[in-house]
Amino acid sequence: MTALIEVKNLCVDYITLNGRVRAVNNVSFTIEEGEILGLAGESGCGKSTIAFALMRLHRPPALISGGEILFNGENILDFDEESLRKFRWKDTSMVFQSAMSCLNPVKTIEYQFYDIFKAHGAVASRQESIVKARELLNIVDIPEERLFDYPHQFSGGMRQRVVIAMALALKPKLLIMDEPTTALDVVIQREILQKVYQLKQQFNFAVLFITHDLSLMVEFCDRIGIMYSGQLVEVAESKAILTQPQHPYTFGLGNAFPTLTGELKAMTGIPGMPLDLSNIPSGCRFAERCFKASELCRQTEPALHYQPERGWAACHQVLPVTARTGQDIPTEDVY
Amino acid sequence: MLTKKLNKVSERQVTLEAKDLTIDFPKAKKSLFSPREYLRALNGLNFKMYDRHCLAVVGESGCGKSTSARIATKIHHATSGSISYRGRDVDTIVSNQDLRDYRRDVQMIFQDPFGSLNPLHTIRYHLERPLRIYFDITSRAEMEDRLAAILNQVGLTPAKDVLEKFPHQLSGGQRQRVFLGKTLAIGAHVILADEPTSMLDVSIRIGVLNLMNQMKHEMGKSFMYITHDIATARYIAEETLVLYCGHMVEFGDTEEITQNPQHPYTQLLLAAAPDPNRSIHDKLPTYRSQETPVWSPEKMGCPYATRCPQARVECFEHLPEVKEIAPDHFIRCHLFS
């Protein structure tokens, strides 16, 4: 497999009255063709900011201040407006949290499909657009005759499926999903994600999946990146994130989700609050909330290191493989 | 291991009890002369809340979870049926003094901790007011002691600093803790928590749930925990009530419901809930059509019949009776009658 998108040392700043706030700091990762990468973390940790940066959707006061985003070897940050316009939706498309606010309430679904095709010169006539839109509704299991309906006539789950159909209209290589199912009920959520997975197998696009629900992410993704206050602190295979966390933050996150099956354990969460990005201490950003923090952690910032068989982690005190099974760290006493 | 079972079944005392609770909301008329139509938000709902226990109310959005709590706090009035608090029908509570006593005992916590505290006032103001209204505290020193004790109980320290802060200076989890502190200040026994953690960050969520657990065990509060996250319901609740479209579907011991669900809807809900021990490829139990019906007083039958794979003729004709299939495990389904 080859890297479809390669992000190198990406930095995104927000310019505020009190100076620059770095929302994404030196983040590097790759997404391979046909892979599902998840980004998890608390609100304000920069996961959505990365998603917006990948499509260059940021407007002032946000500013991409450094790094490279290579899509099939081309740096997106060097694109001019015209090539950006072609790149967006054709190569990378995005599904947002609120489907209703993505759809134009005064136009029919049919028109909105036509709008996409027309903007990219994908169809010659309205008739051709209708045929294509019908096919797309079919693949997301919406009856064809609903094509001429308005967004308000659909239920929440159907709207999100319409948005997914639109995102797939031009057969993109990468689909970014920013909390696509947070507003939906669990049954519909699972239905939609199963559908996306099935379509992924069919059309072989890659997915960047963003959510704060780690349980869901472990089920859906191949690899997961954990973010904390603008930095990537761990990237590993999805199962390993819960079973063999390396970073104490990942360990804490895994401890914050009660399970539906198995023994009921007392959980602890993570003490303290997320970092204020306008006032960043020296050393590791998580040190203040970390149970393993040492003097070294408070002074020097750890870099991402690759652990064979385990993945990447940015931590001076990488947890042993057995951390989760509880021999080395008794979960009840840690936090 | 969590110590959930504090009271033996025989020692349980009922606090809030709903009997055949039904509520209709009028819909907007299509024209001035068309007859008024109603939406049935709750239909024949029965549940019991026990002292020192937590009752989780789970279901999808629009199933009547919040409405049932709102009836208990007298924000809405039931069309028929009743809710009683320690044996007294809440509809009979009308005099000012009674209302005040009732509201002191039964308090509600809302989902949005950002909208429920007044941004113009400090935390001191928010906590001092209930103390002034409900208790006769005259000395400054006593008030300070009380406030400090409350903030310590909900884990907001140092109390002195927190008291002078404004809501915007606190995080979501801290604000929810202020709210829990407020119910402690008033001395509420029953706390109706309407999705108290759904707007909080994952790392903070468990802390608030643990605080609720602690209030339950150490201070003898009882909770109604309204949520759509059945995994957290399993974590803190002794009893679970599953609602679908305003109807009780299944009610009973949480472990029993989550590990051994009987109603087809509960089975679907549990199969769909995210769980790291599962895979996205696991098939959901079969069900039909995806739309949740909107209930009205004229409708007949079981609300789940349109989606239920095992629906029979009778399911469309009349609503099944509530049946106790095991001790303390109630279900509303024709498959069991």
Side-chain angles (χ1 to χ4, degrees):
Chain A
M1 282 212 266
T2 48
L4 173 71
I5 201 158
E6 197 175 351
V7 178
K8 284 184 187 164
N9 303 325
L10 180 71
C11 298
V12 183
D13 291 0
Y14 285 94
I15 296 164
T16 67
L17 288 176
N18 304 323
R20 283 187 172 200
V21 173
R22 182 150 286 190
V24 173
N25 188 20
N26 266 325
V27 168
S28 307
F29 62 89
T30 57
I31 305 177
E32 286 167 5
E33 273 175 30
E35 184 191 35
I36 305 181
L37 176 75
L39 277 185
E42 298 172 72
S43 37
C45 73
K47 23 186 220 307
S48 295
T49 309
I50 288 184
F52 274 66
L54 289 190
M55 283 189 79
R56 277 197 52 196
L57 292 173
H58 281 304
R59 286 193 184 169
L63 172 83
I64 299 176
S65 54
E68 285 179 336
I69 301 173
L70 302 176
F71 186 91
N72 276 339
E74 285 176 281
N75 191 356
I76 298 171
L77 302 184
D78 295 337
F79 280 8
D80 59 12
E81 274 306 313
E82 183 53 26
S83 30
L84 259 186
R85 195 185 68 75
K86 284 184 183 145
F87 164 78
R88 289 180 187 145
W89 230 256
K90 177 86 189 68
D91 291 326
T92 305
S93 60
M94 193 158 174
V95 174
F96 299 87
Q97 178 175 352
S98 159
M100 193 59 197
S101 38
C102 298
L103 296 169
N104 186 341
V106 296
K107 298 280 187 195
T108 63
I109 299 299
E110 186 275 320
Y111 178 84
Q112 297 183 49
F113 272 108
Y114 176 59
D115 205 23
I116 297 172
F117 290 130
K118 194 178 62 173
H120 287 271
V123 290
S125 66
R126 187 80 173 237
Q127 213 48 47
E128 194 187 340
S129 150
I130 291 175
V131 173
K132 280 193 165 184
R134 284 221 162 99
E135 276 170 26
L136 285 164
L137 284 190
N138 265 332
I139 65 167
V140 293
D141 299 332
I142 292 178
E144 282 178 19
E145 59 271 19
R146 301 293 302 266
L147 185 59
F148 294 92
D149 284 356
Y150 289 88
H152 72 265
Q153 292 168 297
F154 291 91
S155 68
M158 284 177 112
R159 259 178 234 149
Q160 198 59 279
R161 276 186 284 152
V162 168
V163 171
I164 289 170
M166 284 179 181
L168 298 178
L170 300 171
K171 307 260 180 307
K173 302 260 181 6
L174 174 68
L175 179 65
I176 299 171
M177 303 183 87
D178 188 2
E179 311 233 3
T181 54
T182 313
L184 303 175
D185 290 318
V186 282
V187 179
I188 299 166
Q189 162 173 297
R190 185 162 290 259
E191 240 173 45
I192 287 183
L193 290 183
Q194 285 182 340
K195 192 80 222 171
V196 170
Y197 196 87
Q198 193 191 325
L199 295 172
K200 192 218 89 166
Q201 298 298 71
Q202 197 178 339
F203 300 110
N204 196 38
F205 50 84
V207 181
L208 177 65
F209 184 67
I210 294 172
T211 179
H212 55 258
D213 189 342
L214 204 59
S215 315
L216 183 67
M217 193 168 260
V218 169
E219 281 191 48
F220 186 63
C221 299
D222 300 324
R223 278 192 309 147
I224 293 177
I226 304 286
M227 291 197 64
Y228 185 72
S229 71
Q231 288 175 325
L232 210 52
V233 295
E234 181 163 354
V235 186
E237 299 290 316
S238 68
K239 292 286 175 207
I241 286 283
L242 281 187
T243 55
Q244 303 175 9
Q246 299 183 61
H247 197 284
Y249 179 63
T250 316
F251 179 83
L253 269 189
N255 247 4
F257 286 92
T259 55
L260 262 179
T261 48
E263 194 198 350
L264 205 56
K265 283 195 284 267
M267 304 229 150
T268 38
I270 304 172
M273 287 200 287
L275 208 58
D276 175 9
L277 284 173
S278 57
N279 181 18
I280 289 170
S282 63
C284 175
R285 297 184 176 197
F286 187 60
E288 203 185 316
R289 301 171 77 186
C290 181
F291 63 93
K292 287 209 92 172
S294 65
E295 209 40 52
L296 176 69
C297 300
R298 289 192 187 88
Q299 279 160 8
T300 1
E301 207 173 327
L304 270 179
H305 280 293
Y306 187 73
Q307 303 275 328
E309 312 271 304
R310 295 187 76 185
W312 298 82
C315 183
H316 292 306
Q317 316 269 357
V318 169
L319 299 177
V321 181
T322 50
R324 181 62 73 200
T325 45
Q327 267 76 46
D328 298 39
I329 302 163
T331 46
E332 274 85 16
D333 305 338
V334 171
Y335 289 115
Chain B
M1 188 63 204
L2 282 181
T3 48
K4 260 212 210 162
K5 298 277 174 306
L6 201 72
N7 313 9
K8 289 202 187 85
V9 174
S10 55
E11 293 166 3
R12 290 190 305 199
Q13 276 190 336
V14 178
T15 52
L16 273 178
E17 181 175 10
K19 279 196 190 127
D20 291 324
L21 205 60
T22 300
I23 186 164
D24 293 340
F25 289 122
K27 282 193 200 169
K29 282 186 182 185
K30 290 205 178 72
S31 88
L32 187 60
F33 305 104
S34 60
R36 176 67 82 188
E37 286 181 7
Y38 291 90
L39 181 151
R40 183 149 283 188
L42 286 178
N43 194 7
L45 181 67
N46 292 294
F47 64 82
K48 279 180 185 161
M49 276 177 73
Y50 299 104
D51 214 12
R52 289 168 173 264
H53 273 209
C54 175
L55 167 74
V57 182
V58 296
E60 41 194 276
S61 33
C63 72
K65 306 189 291 281
S66 302
T67 310
S68 47
R70 278 157 185 265
I71 297 174
T73 48
K74 292 175 74 79
I75 296 174
H76 294 318
H77 288 277
T79 311
S80 68
S82 67
I83 282 195
S84 53
Y85 175 65
R86 298 200 191 276
R88 182 177 178 186
D89 187 345
V90 298
D91 274 348
T92 64
I93 299 172
V94 278
S95 76
N96 277 348
Q97 184 57 47
D98 282 1
L99 262 178
R100 223 171 73 157
D101 288 349
Y102 178 68
R103 296 213 157 115
R104 188 184 59 212
D105 283 4
V106 179
Q107 278 283 316
M108 191 154 173
I109 298 176
F110 297 93
Q111 176 176 8
D112 181 4
F114 301 89
S116 46
L117 292 172
N118 187 336
L120 299 177
H121 287 292
T122 58
I123 302 307
R124 172 187 296 279
Y125 173 89
H126 285 101
L127 293 177
E128 230 179 60
R129 256 166 67 103
L131 286 173
R132 278 193 203 288
I133 292 172
Y134 287 103
F135 303 97
D136 206 16
I137 299 175
T138 42
S139 91
R140 193 75 235 164
E142 196 193 340
M143 181 64 94
E144 289 300 314
D145 287 350
R146 279 269 191 121
L147 290 174
I150 287 161
L151 287 178
N152 279 327
Q153 278 172 333
V154 295
L156 290 173
T157 47
K160 260 210 173 82
D161 298 350
V162 176
L163 278 175
E164 306 313 324
K165 282 188 174 166
F166 286 91
H168 73 265
Q169 293 169 300
L170 299 180
S171 71
Q174 288 176 318
R175 281 183 238 200
Q176 218 54 302
R177 280 169 193 267
V178 168
F179 240 83
L180 284 166
K182 209 166 157 181
T183 63
L184 284 181
I186 299 166
H189 294 300
V190 177
I191 298 159
L192 309 169
D194 190 355
E195 308 228 13
T197 58
S198 61
M199 284 184 73
L200 303 182
D201 263 325
V202 282
S203 66
I204 289 154
R205 190 176 295 175
I206 285 290
V208 172
L209 291 177
N210 282 343
L211 175 62
M212 285 166 62
N213 237 343
Q214 191 190 340
M215 284 168 71
K216 193 172 74 186
H217 291 321
E218 290 169 16
M219 299 169 220
K221 311 290 180 196
S222 38
F223 280 93
M224 179 193 271
Y225 175 57
I226 296 174
T227 184
H228 54 253
D229 182 358
I230 202 160
T232 56
R234 179 180 180 231
Y235 183 69
I236 76 160
E238 279 82 7
E239 283 89 29
T240 295
L241 169 69
V242 183
L243 290 184
Y244 181 74
C245 194
H247 296 71
M248 184 212 107
V249 161
E250 206 165 347
F251 174 58
D253 182 81
T254 304
E255 278 305 299
E256 177 78 11
I257 297 233
T258 52
Q259 304 309 308
N260 183 23
Q262 294 298 315
H263 194 284
Y265 177 67
T266 320
Q267 289 169 353
L268 176 68
L269 198 65
L270 279 159
D275 188 68
N277 300 334
R278 273 203 284 257
S279 142
I280 195 78
H281 313 300
D282 290 357
K283 270 218 149 67
L284 286 174
T286 46
Y287 61 97
R288 293 182 299 194
S289 121
Q290 297 138 11
E291 298 284 320
T292 309
V294 176
W295 215 244
S296 66
E298 298 80 35
K299 284 201 178 163
M300 317 263 267
C302 169
Y304 191 59
T306 47
R307 289 169 81 181
C308 185
Q310 302 167 65
R312 300 180 292 208
V313 181
E314 54 184 342
C315 297
F316 292 93
E317 281 168 355
H318 57 268
L319 188 65
E321 291 300 313
V322 177
K323 196 161 188 288
E324 187 166 9
I325 52 168
D328 266 322
H329 189 166
F330 298 87
I331 193 166
R332 187 164 218 169
C333 181
H334 277 304
L335 295 175
F336 294 89
S337 52

